[in-house]
Amino acid sequence: MFGEVGECHCRPRHRASSIQPTLVKILVILILIYVLACIFARLVSEGMVFRPPPASYGEATPDLIFIPADDGTPLAALHLRNPDAKYLFLHFHGNGEDIGEGRWWLEQARAEGFEVLGVDYRGYGLSSGSPSERAYYADAATVVAHCRDKLGWKPDRIIVHGRSLGGAAAARIAARNPVAALIVENAFVSAYRVMTVKPVLLGDRFETIDDIMRPLCPVFVIYSTQDEVVGEWNGPQLFAAAPEPKQIWAVEGAGHNDLLTVAGDHYWPRIREFVDGLPPQP
């Protein structure tokens, strides 16, 4: 009888205690994977963002000028003068083109009554050097200073326009310089979020959404509803983040690279309507 009372049917305690070290190991592995993912994204992102094509123009190209960067690197630009223009369009192009391929847009802008300056990033066209995020923003600041100090354009007469990747440079300029207006076209919220949608990785690049919160000028967001590259959701999010006054235009049925074609005859009148509505300048 006493032997029966002394029997123990409890489970071994070591099983429960072994669970905690296992969970710690899993957590450490997950943290390590996340850190490695952030490092990997940081290392490869610039190579994915900057895709310079072979130069589509030569040194004999009409209207070609070179703007020296702060470190002396020559940046190629097309300066389409218009003595009757009230505004200068400062244009930053997408990541897979240069100013030679985009000249048709620059010519259209001049025909609409603007003076135009389009610039190539380092490593693009005839611009020297290698592209990087730091140089991209530093050179954008140099170019707007050139427009102001060398070309004689007053800040309240400069309209900054950026398409796709160029939207990040345009937004940075408008956030840190007094300009007449900011126009972004098929721009993205940030480089990482083109892939992840949500801000899940540390060290994000080209965070346009942070800069578009701060401009002290009217903002015009143009985006394609069928954008297969950056996603149509980027446009509305940039618009929501921008301060007033602001406008938005969704080009129905357009993709990332055919916005102007799909918009057709509505494109320049819509931009002109926005420009004509800017506050009167002295």
Side-chain angles (χ1 to χ4, degrees), residues 3 13 43 249 277:
R13 294 181 180 180
L43 291 175
W249 179 28

Side-chain angles (χ1 to χ4, degrees), residues 11-208:
R11 295 181 180 180
R13 294 181 180 180
H14 71 274
R15 293 183 181 178
S17 61
S18 66
I19 295 177
Q20 186 173 1
T22 301
L23 291 177
V24 171
K25 290 179 181 179
I26 293 174
L27 181 61
V28 170
I29 292 173
L30 291 176
I31 292 175
L32 180 61
I33 291 174
Y34 176 77
V35 171
L36 290 175
C38 292
I39 294 174
F40 178 77
R42 192 73 181 177
L43 291 175
V44 305
S45 56
E46 283 190 341
M48 297 177 66
V49 168
F50 293 111
R51 298 292 182 90
S56 65
Y57 61 96
E59 292 185 359
T61 299
D63 307 306
L64 179 67
I65 65 171
F66 287 91
I67 302 171
D70 287 345
D71 62 358
T73 300
L75 305 175
L78 288 177
H79 182 199
L80 279 55
R81 298 180 182 273
N82 186 341
D84 299 323
K86 294 182 179 180
Y87 291 99
L88 169 73
F89 250 69
L90 175 54
H91 171 70
F92 295 93
H93 59 69
N95 74 329
E97 59 187 320
D98 64 15
I99 52 177
E101 294 176 310
R103 182 171 187 132
W104 61 273
W105 187 94
L106 304 177
E107 293 283 7
Q108 287 188 12
R110 177 163 65 176
E112 290 295 322
F114 303 104
E115 188 161 322
V116 189
L117 182 73
V119 63
D120 265 339
Y121 316 125
R122 295 183 186 219
Y124 282 73
L126 298 185
S127 291
S128 300
S130 299
S132 70
E133 182 182 19
R134 177 176 295 182
Y136 169 87
Y137 284 124
D139 293 346
T142 296
V143 171
V144 74
H146 179 85
C147 295
R148 184 181 61 239
D149 302 334
K150 301 297 183 181
L151 301 183
W153 282 92
K154 295 180 179 180
D156 58 10
R157 295 291 182 176
I158 299 174
I159 296 174
V160 191
H161 177 276
R163 197 188 84 79
S164 190
L165 171 62
R172 175 64 60 89
I173 287 175
R176 300 189 177 186
N177 299 269
V179 293
L182 167 64
I183 303 175
V184 293
E185 185 176 312
N186 281 349
F188 50 71
V189 167
S190 72
Y192 285 8
R193 291 178 63 182
V194 170
M195 301 298 295
T196 66
V197 181
K198 299 296 183 180
V200 296
L201 294 177
L202 297 176
D204 205 347
R205 294 183 181 272
F206 304 96
E207 295 176 282
T208 312

Side-chain angles (χ1 to χ4, degrees), residues 229-246:
V229 176
V230 305
E232 59 83 22
W233 57 270
N234 285 267
Q237 285 205 16
L238 290 173
F239 176 74
E244 295 285 356
K246 58 184 177 180

